[in-house]
Amino acid sequence: QSLPPYYNQIHTKRSTYSTACINKIIAEKRMPFVNHDEFERHVISQYPTEACGIVRNNVFVPLKNIADNPLQDFKMDVMDYAREMALGVDAIVHSHPVNMKPCWYDQRIPSKADMMGQQKTALPWGIVTCEGETVSEPLWFGHKERPPLLEREFIFSVQDCLVLMSDYYLQTHGIIIPNTPRDVDWFLKSEDLITAGWEGFGFTPISMSELRPGDVILMKIRSDFVNHIGVYIDHNKMLHHLINRLSGYDEINKWDKQITACIRHKDLT
């Protein structure tokens, strides 16, 4: 599977997106298992189905996957999960079975279903990949502690333009903007994810001439629908996070041809 054209066409200044970058973030958010060898043996033993379990006090506890299609999904037994919750659960971990074919994204990135599950449990989730012989380090997401807004690495659905906007609103204004569950390739499937959701999150349209700090700028980058956003800071400057780049400030006028609309949250009026 080759890289989509969108991936390489946008950015040439600095390339940071790679498995190495994700591993760097993993190192910063590591939740080691005291029984790591047991965890790996369990994941390998369940291949090619998804393995799952919980973490308590840095110990992995395997649980049975009762999903209808365990090759592509996992589901814990309600009674098993309730029993573990009564004892205390720090995190949930599961595997993504993979093959050796090249893939344009790191397959530890959460799916839409993973994001929905994490939000429902309100616990950190870890995802590993396994090809039947080895197990990757987990990619964690859903932590309450958030990284700095500037110079964060890019990871689809975990640290991207939408997540940056949500983190900005929470850290700067105390406003919660949910991280919309989405598949990694939503922008390749022409899903109008951003435009379809902003009204429900309390935003209303404004003109460019009305821009104030905290307003959100919507953009179309080589696309027929909005696939990128930035947050207006001041003096022709916005905060945004592009694929293959670190998050940071940029001049708005560089993106005049891509900007399609601006919106303001109701609590900033």
Side-chain angles (χ1 to χ4, degrees), residues 15-34:
S15 176
T16 62
Y17 178 79
S18 66
T19 297
C21 292
I22 291 185
N23 287 337
K24 174 185 175 184
I25 297 170
I26 287 171
E28 296 170 350
K29 292 186 175 180
R30 187 177 297 276
M31 186 180 290
F33 306 136
V34 174

Side-chain angles (χ1 to χ4, degrees), residues 80-82 87 92 99 117-118 166 168 172 182 218 251 269:
D80 289 346
Y81 185 68
L87 297 173
I92 292 174
N99 53 41
Q118 185 280 317
S166 296
Y168 167 87
T172 307
R182 54 195 177 276
L218 310 184
E251 295 177 359
T269 55

Side-chain angles (χ1 to χ4, degrees), residues 101-162:
K101 294 180 180 179
C103 184
W104 61 268
Y105 63 91
D106 190 304
Q107 294 180 80
R108 290 172 292 185
I109 290 171
S111 66
K112 181 177 182 179
D114 291 334
M115 296 180 72
M116 293 173 66
Q118 185 280 317
Q119 292 179 8
K120 183 177 181 179
T121 61
L123 290 168
W125 277 35
I127 301 176
V128 300
T129 54
C130 177
E131 85 297 340
E133 296 183 1
T134 61
V135 180
S136 73
E137 288 289 334
L139 170 63
W140 295 100
F141 69 104
H143 288 79
K144 293 182 180 179
E145 302 80 16
R146 301 301 303 149
L149 297 175
L150 295 175
E151 296 191 352
R152 58 171 66 177
E153 301 281 358
F154 186 95
I155 303 178
F156 288 108
S157 303
V158 178
Q159 292 182 183
D160 57 17
C161 68
L162 294 173

Side-chain angles (χ1 to χ4, degrees), residues 2-268:
S2 60
L3 287 169
Y6 174 87
Y7 188 92
N8 282 327
Q9 286 175 341
I10 306 174
H11 326 105
T12 57
K13 182 179 179 182
R14 183 170 184 175
S15 176
T16 62
Y17 178 79
S18 66
T19 297
C21 292
I22 291 185
N23 287 337
K24 174 185 175 184
I25 297 170
I26 287 171
E28 296 170 350
K29 292 186 175 180
R30 187 177 297 276
M31 186 180 290
F33 306 136
V34 174
N35 57 340
H36 192 270
D37 290 345
E38 179 184 341
F39 165 71
E40 289 193 345
R41 286 195 297 271
H42 176 70
V43 171
I44 293 171
S45 72
Q46 299 301 299
Y47 185 85
T49 64
E50 294 194 8
C52 62
I54 62 95
V55 180
R56 179 187 306 115
N57 297 327
N58 291 336
V59 175
F60 171 74
V61 180
L63 294 177
K64 185 177 181 181
N65 181 358
I66 63 169
D68 292 335
N69 184 7
L71 295 173
Q72 298 181 349
D73 194 12
F74 82 95
K75 179 181 179 181
M76 300 177 184
D77 180 81
V78 173
M79 297 302 294
D80 289 346
Y81 185 68
R83 181 187 66 246
E84 299 301 334
M85 283 296 293
L87 297 173
V89 175
D90 298 324
I92 292 174
V93 190
H94 76 284
S95 65
H96 283 177
V98 298
N99 53 41
M100 299 305 293
K101 294 180 180 179
C103 184
W104 61 268
Y105 63 91
D106 190 304
Q107 294 180 80
R108 290 172 292 185
I109 290 171
S111 66
K112 181 177 182 179
D114 291 334
M115 296 180 72
M116 293 173 66
Q118 185 280 317
Q119 292 179 8
K120 183 177 181 179
T121 61
L123 290 168
W125 277 35
I127 301 176
V128 300
T129 54
C130 177
E131 85 297 340
E133 296 183 1
T134 61
V135 180
S136 73
E137 288 289 334
L139 170 63
W140 295 100
F141 69 104
H143 288 79
K144 293 182 180 179
E145 302 80 16
R146 301 301 303 149
L149 297 175
L150 295 175
E151 296 191 352
R152 58 171 66 177
E153 301 281 358
F154 186 95
I155 303 178
F156 288 108
S157 303
V158 178
Q159 292 182 183
D160 57 17
C161 68
L162 294 173
V163 177
L164 182 66
M165 183 270 288
S166 296
D167 286 351
Y168 167 87
Y169 266 79
L170 182 60
Q171 294 181 25
T172 307
H173 301 291
I175 298 172
I176 298 175
I177 307 294
N179 188 17
T180 303
R182 54 195 177 276
D183 288 318
V184 64
D185 59 349
W186 67 270
F187 55 89
L188 299 176
K189 298 187 290 188
S190 299
E191 291 184 14
D192 203 359
L193 181 79
I194 297 173
T195 304
W198 57 261
E199 287 185 347
F201 293 146
F203 289 92
T204 55
I206 59 171
S207 66
M208 282 285 290
S209 62
E210 297 177 279
L211 275 176
R212 297 199 308 237
D215 291 338
V216 177
I217 301 168
L218 310 184
M219 288 165 272
K220 295 179 181 178
I221 301 178
R222 292 182 171 86
S223 173
D224 294 329
F225 59 94
V226 174
N227 58 359
H228 184 59
I229 62 174
V231 179
Y232 180 68
I233 303 302
D234 59 17
H235 299 100
N236 191 41
K237 184 169 63 178
M238 70 175 175
L239 174 69
H240 68 151
H241 201 172
L242 292 161
I243 296 176
N244 217 20
R245 296 283 297 276
L246 299 177
S247 61
Y249 298 126
D250 209 347
E251 295 177 359
I252 294 176
N253 57 13
K254 289 168 51 178
W255 298 89
D256 284 345
K257 293 182 179 179
Q258 287 77 32
I259 294 174
T260 62
C262 301
I263 55 178
R264 176 174 296 154
H265 194 272
K266 60 182 176 63
D267 292 338
L268 297 185

